[in-house]
Amino acid sequence: TFFLFGEGNNIISKDIIQECWIAYESKVYDVTHWLAKHPGGVRSIMSAAGQDATSVMKSLHHPSTLNTMMKRTRQVGVLIDSHIHYIFF
């Protein structure tokens, strides 16, 4: 699980249906909008929510599919040592 530090250094985890983030190749993406669209269903993405999903995603998807989908997904940060160090708005 990775964490984002919010106001007052409160730890915020992005692993719920209303706000679902995953890491892929050290980049953090907001995949909330994919939950309802993913052919594998909500559970498949939620099982990786708030985590580095790189190995799982690479084992299940063709590289060209991943490349296309990640280009369409909003990057929100960079994952370093299990912490999001930079947030994109």
Side-chain angles (χ1 to χ4, degrees), residues 13-26:
S13 180
K14 302 293 186 176
D15 60 357
I16 59 173
I17 290 175
Q18 294 82 3
E19 197 164 21
C20 181
W21 291 8
I22 60 162
Y24 175 72
E25 293 190 340
S26 299

Side-chain angles (χ1 to χ4, degrees), residues 46-79:
M46 290 306 299
S47 66
Q51 300 175 54
D52 186 344
T54 303
S55 62
V56 171
M57 291 172 66
K58 284 184 172 184
S59 72
L60 296 172
H61 300 289
H62 190 273
S64 64
T65 300
L66 288 172
N67 188 40
T68 300
M69 292 301 113
M70 299 323 286
K71 284 181 181 178
R72 295 179 183 171
T73 305
R74 184 171 69 101
Q75 182 182 350
V76 293
V78 178
L79 187 65

